[in-house]
Amino acid sequence: MFRQSLLKKIKKSGLIGRGCNNFLVAEKWEMVKRVKGAEKFVVCNISESEPGIFKDKYILEKWPQLVLDGINLAMHEIKAKKGFVYLNPLYYGEFQASLEQIILKNNYSIELFEKPLHDYVGGEETAVLNSMQGLRVEPRLKPPYPTKVGFYGAPTLIHNCETFYAVSLTNSGVYKNTRFYCLSGVDRANDVKELATDLTVRAVLQEFDHTPSVDFFYQVGGGAAGFCYNYKQLNRKFEGSPAIIIYKNNDSEQAIVMKWLDFFRKESCGQCVPCREGTFRLRNLMYTYYQGGKLDKKAFDDLILSLQKTSLCALGRTATNAVVSYFKNVKGI
């Protein structure tokens, strides 16, 4: 009755995973449960390496017990004997002792795993599994998906920190359809608020006491893969991560654009040609332009199309988000 009651609560809540894919939690659990006669695992992915996103750190500071409780509940539901918490190196150093104390006190069958490097692609769910298995940290071809073929080939349930936090609240009957929003940028310290899930970007900014104006533009969804909008385009719901970075319109365009392009060039794992070559060439193309050269618009458009349509994983496909939306929405060209 305990396990059936929990899944029923999750279905009724309509809880959506707090990663970027907006997948129903109950459906994911049922996929893993349907696989018969196999050892199963649960993984809490706390690699959190997108610039401008720091909500998992905030949760670990305030409610680590609830996160571990959510993992344990999931293990009972899918009949997994082992759970893992996959932490980026900074979080591992900061939270290892407190998390292990909670695990020991509650006799949870959960193990902490330190991410080898603070790399971006290492947060992709199959790259996480490769990392934990001691393999090259790069995404796997999908399908099969981890729900069927995951950690060491076994069905594996993967969620991020906030999702397991919400699972614990749902089980206790206190989940209120909220999520965590991050705000950073000019003249502001990093800030996190727990607010309703269905707010627009403009409404969230107002909750943080910021009034949008012509003086600013906004990167929504993170400081690398997030899209850029002008102050008139904020009456929209969030796509991807609920994070906002505020920029002044008179900030150096070159510094901002090159920061995005340098990030993806550095973080590409190099596994697929479109991303490995595309991020490198796009960065060099724009660097030449900012040094006074002429922008090769055809080469620019071809690189964008190739990255978006042929990259193996989301890193390459989203490497164009910021720069393309900046020129379209902020510069109007």
Side-chain angles (χ1 to χ4, degrees):
M1 291 297 295
F2 164 76
R3 291 189 292 273
Q4 292 176 345
S5 176
L6 171 59
L7 188 54
K8 184 177 180 180
K9 288 177 182 178
I10 291 173
K11 285 183 176 180
K12 185 177 180 180
S13 72
L15 180 62
I16 294 173
R18 296 305 192 237
C20 297
N21 294 327
N22 296 323
F23 201 87
L24 284 169
V25 170
E27 288 187 11
K28 202 171 193 179
W29 288 29
E30 287 177 329
M31 288 178 184
V32 180
K33 287 189 69 173
R34 282 197 292 267
V35 183
K36 303 297 183 182
E39 185 176 17
K40 298 174 184 179
F41 298 99
V42 173
V43 176
C44 179
N45 179 7
I46 316 182
S47 63
E48 196 166 58
S49 53
E50 171 91 18
I53 298 179
F54 33 83
K55 60 187 178 64
D56 286 355
K57 183 177 188 294
Y58 180 81
I59 294 169
L60 287 178
E61 289 171 343
K62 293 183 174 293
W63 303 286
Q65 173 68 59
L66 295 183
V67 175
L68 293 170
D69 179 59
I71 298 169
N72 189 58
L73 288 165
M75 290 167 60
H76 280 287
E77 179 64 42
I78 70 166
K79 296 182 171 61
K81 294 182 179 179
K82 188 76 174 178
F84 297 92
V85 180
Y86 184 81
L87 292 150
N88 77 42
L90 295 177
Y91 293 180
Y92 188 88
E94 184 171 352
F95 299 109
Q96 177 191 8
S98 59
L99 291 173
E100 286 182 343
Q101 184 177 15
I102 296 170
I103 290 169
L104 182 63
K105 179 181 178 181
N106 292 275
N107 197 29
Y108 290 149
S109 184
I110 297 173
E111 180 181 335
L112 304 186
F113 194 102
E114 183 179 6
K115 184 180 179 181
L117 297 170
H118 191 64
D119 61 323
Y120 185 63
V121 75
E124 194 274 340
E125 62 178 7
T126 60
V128 166
L129 299 177
N130 280 351
S131 175
M132 291 171 62
Q133 292 177 216
L135 303 174
R136 180 180 169 126
V137 184
E138 62 186 17
R140 302 175 184 177
L141 289 171
K142 292 184 285 188
Y145 295 95
T147 50
K148 189 173 183 179
V149 181
F151 187 52
Y152 283 110
T156 304
L157 178 69
I158 307 176
H159 289 305
N160 70 5
C161 174
E162 186 183 355
T163 304
F164 285 116
Y165 164 83
V167 165
S168 182
L169 295 182
T170 302
N171 184 60
S172 301
V174 295
Y175 172 68
K176 296 181 179 179
N177 201 28
T178 59
R179 69 179 308 168
F180 292 91
Y181 297 81
C182 301
L183 185 70
S184 58
V186 293
D187 303 326
R188 298 192 69 105
N190 292 350
D191 200 0
V192 180
K193 287 184 182 293
E194 187 173 8
L195 304 168
T197 60
D198 60 350
L199 297 180
T200 65
V201 177
R202 185 179 300 277
V204 169
L205 285 167
Q206 291 168 345
E207 290 283 349
F208 281 96
D209 297 321
H210 173 84
T211 301
S213 79
V214 69
D215 296 326
F216 305 100
F217 75 92
Y218 305 85
Q219 189 174 14
V220 179
F227 291 89
C228 296
Y229 299 107
N230 66 55
Y231 78 106
K232 294 181 179 179
Q233 297 175 310
L234 304 178
N235 294 323
R236 61 177 71 237
K237 298 296 178 65
F238 285 81
E239 296 178 15
S241 297
I244 309 172
I245 301 175
I246 305 171
Y247 292 93
K248 286 184 178 177
N249 266 322
N250 61 359
D251 286 345
S252 168
E253 175 185 311
Q254 178 179 344
I256 293 170
V257 172
M258 295 308 299
K259 178 190 71 171
W260 295 327
L261 298 177
D262 283 336
F263 178 86
F264 283 106
R265 181 191 63 168
K266 174 179 176 291
E267 296 296 341
S268 175
C269 73
Q271 181 182 187
C272 73
V273 173
C275 181
R276 183 180 69 240
E277 292 297 314
T279 54
F280 174 78
R281 294 176 185 274
L282 184 59
R283 187 267 177 203
N284 286 356
L285 185 72
M286 294 305 298
Y287 179 79
T288 300
Y289 167 68
Y290 284 122
Q291 294 304 304
K294 184 177 180 181
L295 180 63
D296 187 335
K297 188 65 165 58
K298 183 180 187 307
F300 179 86
D301 290 342
D302 287 346
L303 285 169
I304 296 297
L305 183 64
S306 176
L307 281 161
Q308 291 177 341
K309 300 298 184 182
T310 64
S311 295
L312 175 64
C313 81
L315 185 146
R317 295 193 294 270
T318 61
T320 66
N321 288 354
V323 64
V324 171
S325 60
Y326 173 79
F327 284 115
K328 178 181 177 182
N329 298 329
V330 180
K331 300 293 290 183
I333 56 176

